[in-house]
């Protein structure tokens, strides 16, 4: 007799794999469309076409455009949150902030469209994700500010305002995503090479750490 439990597990695993693959395709396409067209200009049909999936599939996973948009914004924010884990348990700003800057630069390289979606949303007054800013982002910011203040109190960096340091870190690292076209234009019309990305990351990291008196 066939092992029905085993067959059921295999089928369930295949369905999970297909779902994850489709969600990845949809989110990647949605990032690009929302970044290029904005929330108002984007349509589910445009996103479906870019993902190479029937429009009905999008509505199966994301019933509305707003639900998909919020998922795109949540996705980039969770990636940024993961980068901020470098603060946790770090001995000081050289290790914590240094690792955070390097991770954020890498995210700007790998997820430029997600960063642009976030920037456009906030610049328009966050009409869709204001609640997210007032809860998740505020709590995250206050937690990182407390860590930076502790390093200041321990004499490991200059006595600066932690809030404005975070604003500067975000602006500097996300510039490489949000203003990628400008950077490419100033780089003879070419995207930054692997070497140039490494040099940019190291330069930004050193400028920041020296500027806050950590090294």
């Amino acid at each position: 007799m066939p092992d029905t439990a085993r067959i059921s597990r295999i089928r369930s695993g295949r369905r999970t794999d297909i779902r994850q693959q489709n969600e990845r395709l949809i989110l990647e396409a949605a990032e690009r469309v929302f970044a290029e067209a904005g929330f108002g200009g984007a349509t589910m049909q445009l996103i479906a076409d870019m993902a190479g999936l029937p429009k009905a599939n999008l509505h199966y996973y994301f019933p509305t455009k707003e639900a998909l948009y919020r998922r795109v914004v949540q996705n980039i924010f969770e990636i940024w949150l993961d980068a901020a884990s470098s603060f946790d348990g770090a001995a000081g700003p050289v290790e914590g902030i240094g690792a955070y800057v390097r991770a954020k630069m890498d995210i700007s390289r790998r997820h430029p469209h997600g960063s642009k979606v976030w920037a456009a949303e906030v610049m328009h007054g966050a009409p869709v994700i204001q609640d997210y800013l007032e809860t998740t982002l505020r709590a995250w910011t206050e937690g990182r500010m407390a860590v930076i203040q502790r390093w200041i109190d321990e004499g490991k960096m200059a006595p600066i305002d932690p809030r404005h340091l975070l604003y500067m870190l975000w602006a500097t690292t996300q510039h490489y995503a949000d203003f990628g076209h400008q950077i490419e234009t100033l780089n003879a019309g070419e995207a930054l090479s692997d070497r140039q990305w490494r040099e940019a990351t190291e330069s930004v990291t050193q400028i920041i750490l020296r500027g806050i008196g950590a090294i």
Side-chain angles (χ1 to χ4, degrees):
M1 295 181 62
D3 187 339
T4 55
R6 179 173 178 273
I7 293 173
S8 178
R9 287 195 300 271
I10 292 173
R11 288 176 176 171
S12 177
R14 287 174 178 169
R15 286 194 297 270
T16 299
D17 290 344
I18 292 172
R19 180 182 184 87
Q20 290 176 343
Q21 180 181 4
N22 284 344
E23 285 192 355
R24 178 181 58 78
L25 290 172
I26 292 169
L27 288 173
E28 288 177 353
E31 272 191 10
R32 180 178 290 274
V33 172
F34 284 132
E36 294 176 353
F39 179 77
T43 67
M44 295 294 265
Q45 187 63 61
L46 277 174
I47 296 169
D49 291 343
M50 182 159 288
L53 295 170
K55 183 180 175 182
N57 281 36
L58 265 69
H59 288 289
Y60 174 78
Y61 295 106
F62 302 97
T64 65
K65 184 173 72 169
E66 181 171 330
L68 177 54
Y69 182 81
R70 288 182 66 89
R71 176 64 181 277
V72 167
V73 173
Q74 179 184 351
N75 189 52
I76 188 63
F77 186 61
E78 287 177 351
I79 291 171
W80 285 338
L81 282 181
D82 186 60
S85 64
S86 61
F87 278 80
D88 303 331
V94 173
E95 298 83 4
I97 294 176
Y100 180 57
V101 170
R102 293 183 182 96
K104 286 287 268 83
M105 289 290 286
D106 185 58
I107 293 168
S108 286
R109 184 182 191 184
R110 292 184 293 107
H111 298 278
H113 300 297
S115 180
K116 290 174 184 175
V117 172
W118 178 279
E121 167 72 11
V122 174
M123 285 191 293
H124 285 85
V128 178
I129 64 163
Q130 181 63 29
D131 60 326
Y132 207 68
L133 301 184
E134 293 176 353
T135 55
T136 308
L137 180 61
R138 178 174 292 166
W140 180 91
T141 301
E142 291 174 354
R144 302 291 78 73
M145 286 170 58
V147 173
I148 294 170
Q149 187 60 53
R150 187 182 77 242
W151 290 335
I152 292 172
D153 296 341
E154 293 172 350
K156 295 179 178 179
M157 56 182 286
I160 58 177
D161 188 322
R163 185 183 303 275
H164 295 297
L165 173 59
L166 286 173
Y167 294 165
M168 189 191 73
L169 296 180
W170 300 341
T172 303
T173 56
Q174 287 160 229
H175 173 89
Y176 288 84
D178 302 341
F179 289 84
H181 177 72
Q182 176 174 278
I183 290 174
E184 289 185 12
T185 299
L186 297 175
N187 192 46
E190 299 289 339
L192 296 184
S193 65
D194 290 346
R195 176 185 59 79
Q196 288 174 314
W197 268 105
R198 289 194 299 269
E199 291 175 350
T201 299
E202 187 58 25
S203 292
V204 169
T205 303
Q206 290 297 311
I207 291 168
I208 290 171
L209 293 179
R210 292 182 187 280
I212 63 175
I215 57 176

